[in-house]
Amino acid sequence: MHRFTFALLLAAFLAAPARADDKPPALLVLLTVDQLRPDVLQRYRTEYTGGLKRLLEDGVVFAGEQAHAATETGPGHSALATGCHPSKTGISSNQWLDPKTGAPVYCVEQKGAFVYGDSRKGRGPALQRRSTLGDWMKAANPRSRVVSVSAKDRAAVLMGGRDADGVYWYSKRAGRFTTSRHYARSAPPAWLAELSKGWFQRLPAQWTYTVSPLAEADERPGEDQTYASTTPHPVPAGRAKRARFVYYSPFIDDLTLKIAERAINEHDLGTDGAPDLLCVSLSAVDTTGHRWGPFSQEVRDTLMRLDRELGRFLAMLDKRCKYRMAVGADHGVLPLLKVKRVSAMQFHARVATAVRNAVGDGKWLLANRSSLLVDHALAAKKGVDPSAILAAAKKSLLASPHIASVYLKEDLEGSETSDPVLSLLRHSVDPERSADLYFVPHPGVIISGYRSGTTHGSPYDHDRNIPVIFFGAGIGSGTGSRKIRSIDVAPTMAAWLGVTPAAGIDGQAVALAR
């Protein structure tokens, strides 16, 4: 549909009086496809026959974006579910360094919330400072139920929020979906283990696909070789190896959707008059994309399989209840063939040497991806001014051919700036969890310990651009006339129910339907 025509129809629809029989949906679904670039979704549009075809043809499709620089799974899912920039949610990265101790902090770690099947870990929403769409719904109606499912613990937890009735994720160690004591005080539900039982035995001996001319060549420089670089990809024997392989294959989405469907039934979502919420994050596009690149045959096959399984899932929802769905992504990714790889070890060693030459011997800096934290205890002990350490680090970074810009912690203060990267960075960093220095590589540069594959995490469009689709009862179809932000998704879904979001959110509702 032409954008102008759609805009006129939308205006007429919004101006029409509400009908007496208009009822809010019984179930909202927030669906995230991890690492899904808009151009990757559209690239295979003519081949879709199932769920992706329905979403693109029968939903309202917007160009979307993450309005922050930290284009990672944790911040991306947190922004979608809370309507807030990561600077407010506190989820500034998948992992950050504690400014006081220098210790690494995982975005969903939580003391005492032990994971069933892996008691070494504690997982929960304690570090997310803002409430989620599910929390708003429960505040409005305590009978509302909230369930969140993903292969990744951080995606499931950050979307589900504080008071979800069920939050389930895949454990590579246990080889099954699990949860933690934050959400299940005594044990995970029996059906969760039951559904995973025997699942590995049903996997094929090989992951095979037909090579398509719409994707890039099946064998390309830079692809990861761990599970082979071309079809057929061998499926390892033995439970432990298979449990890990599944996470990096399209088969994990199949299991995730089966868990989600069973959770709908077990939690009686969409059946009792109180609106419920299901959050689902599908991880296979991300795990395959990292290894083989977004335009690979592997990612195309992952989308083909997802199209089929999602079609089945939507057909199940059609029969169950009136529902509405928002579909988005947490981030994009850099195309594999554009990667300029730089060894993280060598890169950080050069910066460390420059600092030592300026202020004396010592391990003055701790590194976490594209940020540096001064060891303030060591600086105080040796009587070295932290500003001298940062000045030397900044000078070294700016002299590097790989670095585009460098920002100190004080640069993150304020809101008005003509520097778009700084603005995005300000949306990303929680002042209480901030490093002392942030640097931004040039486009295409990946500073990493991995010798193959690709990644995301930059403030550039290839990582920030995402699709956003609204789909379901009363929404209609067409192409959105403007770009919207991921932080607009949660308030839009809340508006469908007449639910008031938490005060102080950054997003705004997009008017689509009554």
Side-chain angles (χ1 to χ4, degrees):
M1 183 182 295
H2 191 278
R3 289 188 179 184
F4 180 71
T5 303
F6 173 72
L8 290 177
L9 291 174
L10 178 60
F13 179 79
L14 292 175
R19 300 190 305 273
D21 61 348
D22 279 347
K23 294 181 180 179
L27 176 65
L28 299 188
V29 181
L30 175 57
L31 178 71
T32 305
V33 182
D34 200 316
Q35 202 189 104
L36 184 61
R37 290 170 49 124
D39 54 354
V40 172
L41 174 63
Q42 296 286 353
R43 190 180 185 104
Y44 310 111
R45 183 166 185 159
T46 59
E47 295 189 306
Y48 300 143
T49 60
L52 294 178
K53 178 182 174 69
R54 283 191 64 186
L55 292 174
L56 290 170
E57 292 185 355
D58 300 335
V60 181
V61 182
F62 283 87
E65 65 177 2
Q66 295 289 358
H68 55 261
T71 47
E72 300 179 5
T73 299
H77 282 88
S78 182
L80 280 163
T82 65
C84 291
H85 297 307
S87 56
K88 289 184 179 178
T89 68
I91 308 300
S92 56
S93 182
N94 288 343
Q95 178 179 283
W96 59 87
L97 300 177
D98 186 325
K100 295 180 180 179
T101 66
V105 180
Y106 182 52
C107 62
V108 291
E109 68 178 52
Q110 183 170 320
K111 292 181 179 179
F114 298 115
V115 176
Y116 295 103
D118 190 355
S119 59
R120 302 171 305 165
K121 299 178 179 178
R123 295 290 183 260
L127 295 177
Q128 183 163 252
R129 301 188 191 277
R130 291 296 183 126
S131 57
T132 62
L133 170 62
D135 296 326
W136 309 340
M137 289 172 60
K138 281 183 167 289
N141 188 336
R143 292 170 51 228
S144 291
R145 291 179 289 270
V146 176
V147 174
S148 185
V149 182
S150 177
K152 296 184 179 181
D153 53 11
R154 55 188 178 273
V157 169
L158 295 173
M159 288 197 304
R162 301 169 186 163
D163 299 317
D165 299 274
V167 175
Y168 311 111
W169 60 87
Y170 182 73
S171 167
K172 293 191 291 292
R173 179 179 174 84
R176 58 180 172 82
F177 270 71
T178 187
T179 189
S180 77
R181 289 187 183 176
H182 179 89
Y183 299 106
R185 297 305 303 171
S186 58
W191 63 264
L192 200 61
E194 175 191 323
L195 196 55
S196 296
K197 186 177 181 180
W199 187 74
F200 287 105
Q201 284 67 41
R202 295 191 294 272
L203 288 174
Q206 295 178 321
W207 167 22
T208 62
Y209 47 80
T210 301
V211 174
S212 168
L214 295 181
E216 292 176 348
D218 204 15
E219 179 77 42
R220 296 167 303 148
E223 288 189 318
D224 186 88
Q225 301 291 326
T226 304
Y227 298 115
S229 59
T230 62
T231 187
H233 296 269
V235 176
R239 182 176 178 83
K241 290 182 178 180
R242 282 194 164 204
R244 185 168 184 80
F245 166 81
V246 163
Y247 183 77
Y248 299 104
S249 78
F251 306 123
I252 192 63
D253 281 354
D254 180 23
L255 181 57
T256 302
L257 285 171
K258 283 182 170 58
I259 296 289
E261 182 174 352
R262 182 67 176 268
I264 289 174
N265 292 319
E266 294 293 337
H267 290 276
D268 292 325
L269 301 187
T271 59
D272 68 351
D276 299 322
L277 173 66
L278 172 69
C279 301
V280 182
S281 178
L282 299 167
S283 305
V285 170
D286 179 77
T287 58
T288 56
H290 272 293
R291 289 180 177 270
W292 295 286
F295 301 114
S296 64
Q297 297 288 339
E298 288 83 358
V299 167
R300 175 195 165 274
D301 185 62
T302 297
L303 284 169
M304 293 301 105
R305 294 169 185 266
L306 173 58
D307 174 58
R308 182 180 65 244
E309 294 304 318
L310 191 56
R312 182 188 59 78
F313 187 76
L314 293 179
M316 176 274 298
L317 290 178
D318 292 339
K319 296 178 181 178
R320 185 174 184 85
C321 63
K322 180 178 180 179
Y323 68 95
R324 286 185 187 161
M325 176 181 292
V327 182
D330 51 351
H331 54 73
V333 71
L334 177 67
L336 180 66
L337 298 181
K338 293 186 178 181
V339 170
K340 304 167 189 174
R341 203 176 308 279
V342 177
S343 165
M345 182 178 295
Q346 294 176 8
F347 178 84
H348 291 299
R350 284 192 292 269
V351 177
T353 297
V355 173
R356 285 197 300 271
N357 290 340
V359 301
D361 287 340
K363 187 177 180 181
W364 304 106
L365 294 167
L366 303 172
N368 182 55
R369 293 206 67 169
S370 295
S371 66
L372 298 173
L373 181 69
V374 172
D375 187 333
H376 290 274
L378 179 62
K381 180 179 179 180
K382 294 196 173 185
V384 175
D385 186 349
S387 63
I389 298 171
L390 291 171
K394 182 175 181 178
K395 181 179 178 180
S396 174
L397 288 164
L398 290 174
S400 169
H402 308 300
I403 301 302
S405 53
V406 180
Y407 303 96
L408 298 180
K409 185 175 182 178
E410 52 262 33
D411 296 325
L412 304 181
E413 299 174 359
S415 57
E416 298 298 326
T417 177
S418 59
D419 182 344
V421 172
L422 178 57
S423 178
L424 292 167
L425 202 57
R426 286 175 175 174
H427 287 167
S428 295
V429 179
D430 179 335
E432 294 183 15
R433 296 170 180 171
S434 173
D436 294 309
L437 181 151
Y438 292 85
F439 56 90
V440 180
H442 283 296
V445 172
I446 290 178
I447 300 171
S448 171
Y450 293 101
R451 298 180 179 180
S452 61
T454 185
T455 195
H456 45 83
S458 82
Y460 301 119
D461 286 351
H462 57 72
D463 285 345
R464 291 179 51 238
N465 286 344
I466 60 171
V468 176
I469 304 172
F470 297 113
F471 171 86
I475 286 180
S477 62
T479 302
S481 58
R482 64 182 177 88
K483 180 171 280 191
I484 66 173
R485 306 162 299 172
S486 64
I487 53 175
D488 298 327
V489 170
T492 298
M493 297 179 76
W496 294 343
L497 301 175
V499 168
T500 301
I505 68 169
D506 299 304
Q508 297 179 338
V510 177
L512 285 173
R514 295 182 186 277

